[in-house]
Amino acid sequence: MDREGTPFFRFALHGHPAAVNLDDMFEHGSPDPATAAAHYGAAMTLASELEMRPLIARCHFGLGRLYLRTGNPGDAREQLTAATAMYSKMDMRFWLE
């Protein structure tokens, strides 16, 4: 398969912010929380279409952190629980440390 056929290349080709690391973007000079959540949601949708489970888990984790910072502990718990479950299922426990 050539580079253009790889899932990440197609993901980056869409010009989606997740291709340049959403976490860094929202940690340093972040847009408003609603915009950040919308980008995470769009990244999760596209990652789902491309079957990129590690990126889906990372988006759940990022949303959880965003919700914690914005005082929404219920949604944060839901997203962090989803991320934890996905990382465990993929045997990527090092992300949980």
Side-chain angles (χ1 to χ4, degrees):
M1 175 185 295
D2 61 8
R3 184 180 75 150
E4 287 78 14
T6 64
F8 185 79
F9 186 84
R10 288 182 297 177
F11 195 80
L13 188 62
H14 282 23
H16 199 278
V20 293
N21 195 338
L22 279 168
D23 292 338
D24 286 343
M25 185 181 347
F26 298 126
E27 286 289 324
H28 311 296
S30 65
D32 67 281
T35 300
H39 283 296
Y40 274 118
M44 218 180 319
T45 298
L46 186 54
S48 294
E49 291 171 9
L50 297 173
E51 299 179 9
M52 298 174 72
R53 292 183 310 140
L55 185 55
I56 297 166
R58 190 70 185 153
C59 288
H60 280 296
F61 182 76
L63 275 170
R65 290 179 55 203
L66 175 68
Y67 291 145
L68 280 175
R69 286 194 311 269
T70 58
N72 193 341
D75 286 340
R77 186 176 306 108
E78 181 181 323
Q79 295 298 326
L80 294 171
T81 298
T84 300
M86 289 186 77
Y87 284 137
S88 293
K89 188 173 183 175
M90 292 182 287
D91 201 27
M92 296 176 69
R93 290 178 181 87
F94 58 91
W95 285 98
L96 301 173
E97 297 175 0

